[in-house]
Amino acid sequence: MDRKDKMVLQFRDVLAETERLPPDELQAYQQQLLKSLFLHARQHVPFYAQRLAPVFPGGQLDLSRFHEIPIFTRAQAQTNVKALAALDLPPHVGPVETEETSGSTGRPFVHRRNGLVTIANLALTDRVLRWWDFDGAKTMATFISRHPERAPPPNGATMTGWRTGFSGDHHIIDMWADTDVQVDWLLERKPHYLTAYSSTLMALAERVQKRAVSLRFERINSIATAMSDEIRQVCSDVLGAPPIDQYGAQEVGLIACECVVCGHYHVSAEAMRVEILRDDDTHCSPGETGRVVVTSFYNYAMPFIRYEIGDYAVAGPAKVKCPIRLPTLTRVLGRYRNTFTLKDGRIIYPYVEIGRFRDYIPFGQVQVVQTDYDALEVRYVPIHDAKADEAGLQAYLREAIHPSFNVRAIAVEEIPRSASGKFEDFLSLVPRHRT
């Protein structure tokens, strides 16, 4: 076992203790990490030389003024890549890697991270496996996003051990593979567990159901795309298990995961501070929807301090009946581009049942695109020549989403994935604005 694996195991043990800390002790834990990060960023990262001035009044660190640090967005990060890179690093943070985000917003971002970020994220993911009682001796299948340096061969690949200390086989295949290819590949290998994007899970389950084959899993991990009640139900009915939703971003790692006990999403508070903010930058109350803003504690190579990642989430309750005492989210709604914006600036979350669309259009695949503040296009790949019931479809979407929308049904040959390989059921092409 190498040094990296030993550090992951050590952090696993730490997390088993910190996840049960009372709020005041967890806050003190976070503040020690913030103190080290802020001192480093102020001295060695040009982007933060003046940006952290609010928490250094008179030159002394005052974390009570954390909320005064300006928020920055992915667009700002993309235009300040050089200024965000640290000029010097302490040796204990580990080697630096460079990676490009998936570009699911249409704007890929090249970012840097040091070894501690990777170690923390591996340990946080392993904690999820502990919460949900995964058996490391059993087999895992993973649909991985296409990446030139680590793309598996077309027929997939198998290796031994899918996490540190686990002995079970790990089967991997390119998530861009045809759905029938994925189904056949899984039927041949019969893994106990599956990890895939939620949108991919939906397509997989529908194909399994249509082919009338038996494909069941003991556990399913959902990553990278927003979860819906419809996907949960279809996976449970067809694939044998409801998905376990993990919420993260490439720049900062695993942000939160569903809890097996209370059903809320517990935030990875030992590795980051997560804020759910209203449009006026005040904190949302439990049950309110807001923008996700993250401060990552371990990335010294390219610090993300009050970074607005481009997602909406629902703030969770401060107290839940659960042995895990970490902060909570109630629901993750996904990217701004997957929500709809009305003329008055209100945000609509179009999580309607895709299956209901079959009452109005004969589709193999479908996508709802907002093309104007009051206009939707339902783009679909037809499965036969039956005419779409456009009037019925418009009535349904006006009731399910908002009465202001005019709806057009448009038959297309193909609905492409996003740059990261994700299927997007809902997509907005209009600018988001604030009232």
Side-chain angles (χ1 to χ4, degrees):
M1 185 178 294
D2 62 19
R3 182 172 178 271
K4 176 182 172 181
D5 288 341
K6 290 179 181 178
M7 292 179 70
V8 172
L9 294 176
Q10 289 171 353
F11 198 23
R12 278 188 197 173
D13 293 339
V14 170
L15 294 176
E17 300 295 328
T18 54
E19 67 191 29
R20 297 173 182 266
L21 290 176
D24 58 338
E25 292 185 31
L26 180 62
Q27 183 181 33
Y29 181 93
Q30 289 185 324
Q31 287 181 336
Q32 287 301 311
L33 295 170
L34 283 172
K35 179 179 178 181
S36 298
L37 177 68
F38 286 1
L39 289 169
H40 163 77
R42 184 182 183 226
Q43 182 177 357
H44 298 294
V45 184
F47 185 76
Y48 292 107
Q50 299 301 319
R51 205 173 187 86
L52 294 181
V55 293
F56 284 96
Q60 299 298 311
L61 181 61
D62 181 0
L63 290 176
S64 69
R65 299 180 64 176
F66 176 87
H67 64 283
E68 297 180 36
I69 300 171
I71 294 167
F72 79 105
T73 64
R74 175 176 285 197
Q76 289 175 297
Q78 289 168 319
T79 58
N80 288 277
V81 170
K82 186 175 181 180
L84 278 164
L87 302 176
D88 192 24
L89 287 173
H92 74 274
V93 302
V96 175
E97 300 175 329
T98 300
E99 187 167 62
E100 184 174 69
T101 63
S102 65
S104 59
T105 61
R107 296 173 62 92
F109 168 44
V110 178
H111 65 279
R112 304 170 78 228
R113 65 182 178 202
N114 49 264
L116 276 184
V117 180
T118 302
I119 289 166
N121 197 51
L122 288 171
L124 290 165
T125 304
D126 286 351
R127 172 164 69 183
V128 174
L129 304 178
R130 168 169 56 83
W131 285 352
W132 288 88
D133 195 27
F134 280 76
D135 183 345
K138 293 186 175 181
T139 56
M140 170 70 78
T142 302
F143 294 174
I144 69 169
S145 184
R146 182 173 294 170
H147 197 290
E149 287 78 21
R150 56 176 183 265
N155 60 345
T158 298
M159 58 192 71
T160 300
W162 46 279
R163 301 300 295 183
T164 301
F166 288 5
S167 60
D169 282 344
H170 189 193
H171 308 293
I172 59 173
I173 193 171
D174 193 331
M175 64 172 293
W176 288 72
D178 178 83
T179 306
D180 277 315
V181 172
Q182 293 172 344
V183 171
D184 292 339
W185 181 81
L186 289 166
L187 287 170
E188 183 178 344
R189 285 154 184 80
K190 294 182 173 59
H192 299 94
Y193 308 135
L194 174 65
T195 297
Y197 289 0
S198 62
S199 56
T200 304
L201 290 172
M202 185 71 174
L204 181 74
E206 289 184 336
R207 194 61 187 158
V208 167
Q209 193 170 38
K210 185 172 183 178
R211 288 177 51 176
V213 296
S214 178
L215 184 59
R216 314 285 281 185
F217 305 97
E218 295 180 20
R219 301 276 192 282
I220 298 174
N221 282 324
S222 171
I223 58 174
T225 47
M227 177 57 59
S228 71
D229 293 339
E230 184 180 14
I231 295 173
R232 293 183 194 278
Q233 191 62 54
V234 168
C235 286
S236 183
D237 292 344
V238 179
L239 301 180
I244 302 161
D245 196 20
Q246 299 182 44
Y247 169 47
Q250 284 180 276
E251 301 98 307
V252 296
L254 181 64
I255 297 172
C257 180
E258 283 185 291
C259 176
V260 66
V261 178
C262 68
H264 292 281
Y265 291 74
H266 284 300
V267 171
S268 302
E270 302 94 337
M272 63 192 72
R273 177 177 285 190
V274 178
E275 304 171 85
I276 309 300
L277 302 181
R278 305 183 183 103
D279 278 349
D280 64 1
D281 292 344
T282 57
H283 286 86
C284 290
S285 300
E288 278 190 278
T289 297
R291 298 137 51 220
V292 180
V293 175
V294 178
T295 299
S296 174
F297 298 151
Y298 291 111
N299 197 348
Y300 283 58
M302 182 173 276
F304 291 95
I305 300 172
R306 303 205 80 196
Y307 174 57
E308 185 176 341
I309 63 176
D311 287 341
Y312 287 110
V314 179
K319 293 182 179 180
V320 294
K321 292 183 179 180
C322 186
I324 308 303
R325 305 184 71 176
L326 298 169
T328 64
L329 306 176
T330 295
R331 185 169 185 177
V332 178
L333 299 172
R335 291 288 185 189
Y336 298 159
R337 73 189 251 120
N338 302 131
T339 62
F340 295 163
T341 303
L342 302 182
K343 285 183 178 179
D344 61 9
R346 283 181 294 154
I347 303 297
I348 300 294
Y349 305 95
Y351 296 109
V352 298
E353 290 189 18
I354 295 296
R356 281 285 307 277
F357 283 55
R358 291 195 173 88
D359 294 341
Y360 312 103
I361 49 177
F363 72 89
Q365 189 180 2
V366 68
Q367 181 183 58
V368 184
V369 181
Q370 183 184 18
T371 57
D372 206 339
Y373 291 109
D374 59 357
L376 299 179
E377 288 184 358
V378 178
R379 301 171 183 175
Y380 68 100
V381 178
I383 54 176
H384 52 73
D385 294 333
K387 187 177 180 181
D389 177 7
E390 200 163 63
L393 185 63
Q394 175 164 284
Y396 168 57
L397 291 180
R398 282 182 170 180
E399 178 183 1
I401 301 179
H402 196 270
S404 67
F405 284 119
N406 296 307
V407 179
R408 295 175 59 211
I410 300 176
V412 297
E413 292 185 0
E414 179 186 15
I415 296 175
R417 301 175 189 240
S418 69
S420 59
K422 302 172 186 175
F423 289 114
E424 295 180 295
D425 293 331
F426 303 95
L427 176 65
S428 179
L429 303 181
V430 303
R432 169 178 168 267
H433 60 83
R434 301 181 184 178
T435 56

